[in-house]
Amino acid sequence: MEWKEFQELVKLIIPSSYSGSISFKYEDEEIVCKIGDKNFVYSHREYNETFSRFSRYTNGSTYIYNKDEIEILIDFPTNKFNFRFQDEGINISNDTIKYSIQSPSPELILAFLSSIAKDEIKYYRRLMPSRFLIQRYSENENTNISLFDMLIKSMRISASLKIVSYESVTIDELKKHANSFLFNLSYNTGAVLKLVLNTSDLSYDRSRVIRNHRLPINEIETPKLFYNSELTEQYNLALSSNDSFIQFISYYHVMEYFFDEVYNGALISSVRDILQHPGFSYKKTKEISKIIDVVQRKIRVTREGFQGSELEALELTIKTFISVEELKTALFDYDPKLINYYKTHKVSFSDGDPIDLDEPLNEKLPKKIAARIYKTRNSLVHSKSNNTRIKERGIYHPFADENELMNEIPLMQIIAENIIIKSAEEI
């Protein structure tokens, strides 16, 4: 991008005048910002130095990378921690890799600007209030203004994640590291951060608030696992929402991801048991009929394309990934009152079953947990059923039942977290 082209983009992003006390002036060799009686200058020479560094990277619209590092834009759907991360930064590392969250570098901003058509600039412009600028730069005699800092705050850009590997890695591996690190951060702090893989991923909703804190930033370690990005997307959607309906369904989608795998595995195991039985003979019609009966009972195609009983698949998923003792401990840490709540309280709008977590060795407990979740899920997604279905499933009334549904979220969250972690691959 040539200097003149850069100046034209800056003009489109930052207006020439915020107020009577803040103005911009574009000369052949510099851009001058005047705040009160102070002038801040960004020169053509400074731009050439930035562009030279930028040229050393391969870039996409929202990231820059080379053989051992990547810097990629991240967004904060909740807007709770973005300015803190920009000002303070985060640095977490081990002997092989370093993760940093910081204000985006000028080189990354150039990559971002290069990808935006001029007629689309207006969609990314979010002007800083002039009062903010005056307070930050005019009242502090020791503060210098950065043009790129202003560009960052004038557009819908929060921060970036930079990963430096001490070994050569591919861009795909770097993205997997990025996804795993952000999940670690979300899991341990409740702060939702998402990778911005293209400009359309930038968030427009900055009003949500995260309720859950668990671990100080300086105690978080580098990830040891690669987490499934499809699952972490659902997890982050749940964590970033204040709507208990969205939270419940998003966590359910994490569980649902493995339904085919665990159900087909159980079906294969059932058929194998028949085949391996010493009394089995393929010459006996009765024995072949046993296999047919098992398959016919287990398989039926639903409207969503899943083959089998969804309730049974949910139970098998819980059995596969969840330790009831660990679930009880996690719920107790979340809120000690929850153990007794789930034991004594039936979900009124769905007829969801009570679950006694004080009996972790009870073999029927995974089935009861699955039944409570499944009945509540059906009430949420099938609220317009006919009268017979209403009696079976119940109806969720968003305002009347919201507080009761919120009490189900810790159970859903902890199960989803365990599934994400236990299904991950070692780095």
Side-chain angles (χ1 to χ4, degrees):
M1 185 190 305
E2 297 295 330
W3 167 247
K4 291 296 184 184
E5 185 182 359
F6 173 73
Q7 284 187 312
E8 289 301 316
L9 281 174
V10 174
K11 287 180 183 179
L12 292 172
I13 295 169
I14 303 178
S16 59
S17 177
Y18 279 92
S19 68
S21 58
I22 302 176
S23 62
F24 286 81
K25 191 176 181 181
Y26 297 86
E27 305 286 356
D28 288 343
E29 293 298 316
E30 61 187 21
I31 299 173
V32 181
C33 173
K34 183 175 183 180
I35 301 180
D37 59 353
K38 298 169 67 175
N39 288 337
F40 302 95
V41 178
Y42 183 75
S43 69
H44 188 181
R45 178 186 56 79
E46 290 176 279
Y47 175 77
N48 286 341
E49 292 173 354
T50 300
F51 189 80
S52 177
R53 294 192 299 270
F54 167 70
S55 301
R56 300 170 191 166
Y57 294 91
T58 302
N59 70 278
S61 61
T62 59
Y63 57 88
I64 55 177
Y65 72 95
N66 56 31
K67 60 183 176 62
D68 56 8
E69 70 177 65
I70 186 172
E71 183 183 4
I72 185 167
L73 288 176
I74 57 176
D75 199 22
F76 300 75
T78 64
N79 197 33
K80 189 170 184 182
F81 300 101
N82 56 342
F83 289 115
R84 173 183 168 188
F85 285 154
Q86 286 183 43
D87 294 337
E88 300 176 10
I90 293 176
N91 293 286
I92 298 174
S93 62
N94 59 24
D95 293 336
T96 61
I97 198 164
K98 178 180 179 181
Y99 302 86
S100 304
I101 291 181
Q102 58 199 14
S103 184
S105 68
E107 295 76 43
L108 180 56
I109 297 303
L110 281 184
F112 182 74
L113 291 176
S114 300
S115 70
I116 303 176
K118 289 183 179 179
D119 59 353
E120 294 180 347
I121 286 291
K122 62 183 179 181
Y123 298 116
Y124 300 98
R125 189 167 63 190
R126 185 187 61 185
L127 304 181
M128 283 187 295
S130 59
R131 183 174 58 183
F132 174 81
L133 282 174
I134 294 170
Q135 180 179 353
R136 181 164 185 174
Y137 299 114
S138 294
E139 297 178 1
N140 189 339
E141 294 295 330
N142 298 320
T143 300
N144 196 6
I145 190 170
S146 162
L147 178 64
F148 280 95
D149 186 46
M150 293 190 67
L151 288 171
I152 289 166
K153 291 179 172 61
S154 295
M155 296 185 293
R156 296 180 181 274
I157 297 174
S158 294
S160 69
L161 169 64
K162 185 173 183 178
I163 300 175
V164 178
S165 173
Y166 306 134
E167 302 173 352
S168 294
V169 289
T170 66
I171 178 65
D172 289 336
E173 288 175 320
L174 286 168
K175 288 180 179 179
K176 289 172 71 175
H177 279 288
N179 176 69
S180 293
F181 177 72
L182 294 187
F183 173 75
N184 265 25
L185 204 60
S186 297
Y187 176 82
N188 285 296
T189 69
V192 179
L193 296 83
K194 70 174 184 178
L195 295 176
V196 180
L197 298 176
N198 54 69
T199 53
S200 62
D201 286 341
L202 287 167
S203 173
Y204 288 83
D205 184 358
R206 305 278 181 172
S207 61
R208 303 192 189 282
V209 177
I210 290 297
R211 293 187 288 267
N212 195 16
H213 268 303
R214 282 182 280 193
L215 196 65
I217 295 293
N218 59 7
E219 294 183 16
I220 298 176
E221 297 184 357
T222 56
K224 302 175 182 66
L225 300 169
F226 282 136
Y227 307 106
N228 185 313
S229 61
E230 293 185 45
L231 303 186
T232 57
E233 283 179 4
Q234 293 293 337
Y235 178 81
N236 284 336
L237 175 59
L239 209 60
S240 64
S241 176
N242 283 335
D243 187 331
S244 54
F245 180 98
I246 294 175
Q247 292 175 333
F248 188 100
I249 294 300
S250 297
Y251 289 136
Y252 187 85
H253 285 329
V254 174
M255 304 173 199
E256 193 175 37
Y257 184 87
F258 290 99
F259 281 5
D260 276 318
E261 179 180 324
V262 298
Y263 198 83
N264 290 338
L267 176 58
I268 291 170
S269 180
S270 296
V271 172
R272 183 183 290 117
D273 288 344
I274 296 174
L275 293 174
Q276 292 178 340
H277 192 278
F280 175 80
S281 171
Y282 70 88
K283 296 180 180 180
K284 297 179 182 178
T285 302
K286 183 178 179 181
E287 297 299 317
I288 298 297
S289 295
K290 286 182 181 179
I291 296 176
I292 295 173
D293 287 342
V294 167
V295 173
Q296 286 181 335
R297 280 188 289 106
K298 292 283 186 182
I299 292 184
R300 58 182 177 83
V301 179
T302 67
R303 285 179 298 177
E304 292 82 9
F306 169 66
Q307 295 186 339
S309 162
E310 190 164 355
L311 175 57
E312 188 175 351
L314 177 57
E315 178 189 350
L316 290 168
T317 300
I318 290 172
K319 285 182 176 179
T320 301
F321 293 103
I322 305 303
S323 159
V324 176
E325 290 188 17
E326 291 177 2
L327 175 63
K328 178 185 176 182
T329 299
L331 284 169
F332 185 86
D333 291 341
Y334 196 107
D335 183 348
K337 297 190 293 292
L338 286 172
I339 305 301
N340 188 62
Y341 176 85
Y342 292 135
K343 179 178 181 179
T344 59
H345 188 85
K346 177 182 288 189
V347 184
S348 63
F349 62 85
S350 67
D351 201 33
D353 308 63
I355 49 177
D356 186 358
L357 295 170
D358 287 325
E359 297 181 1
L361 300 180
N362 186 343
E363 294 181 357
K364 295 181 179 180
L365 197 50
K367 185 172 185 177
K368 290 184 177 181
I369 295 171
R372 184 183 183 100
I373 293 171
Y374 188 64
K375 287 181 179 180
T376 302
R377 176 262 183 192
N378 284 346
S379 292
L380 298 183
V381 302
H382 297 302
S383 60
K384 294 184 179 180
S385 304
N386 59 38
N387 289 335
T388 301
R389 293 290 188 179
I390 287 173
K391 291 180 181 178
E392 292 177 358
R393 297 171 173 158
I395 290 182
Y396 172 69
H397 298 90
F399 296 105
D401 299 326
E402 183 176 10
N403 287 337
E404 188 173 12
L405 180 61
M406 285 178 62
N407 289 322
E408 303 305 305
I409 300 305
L411 175 68
M412 299 294 291
Q413 178 178 344
I414 291 168
I415 291 176
E417 289 172 347
N418 275 271
I419 291 172
I420 292 171
I421 294 168
K422 292 184 180 180
S423 65
E425 299 176 359
E426 186 174 348
I427 292 179

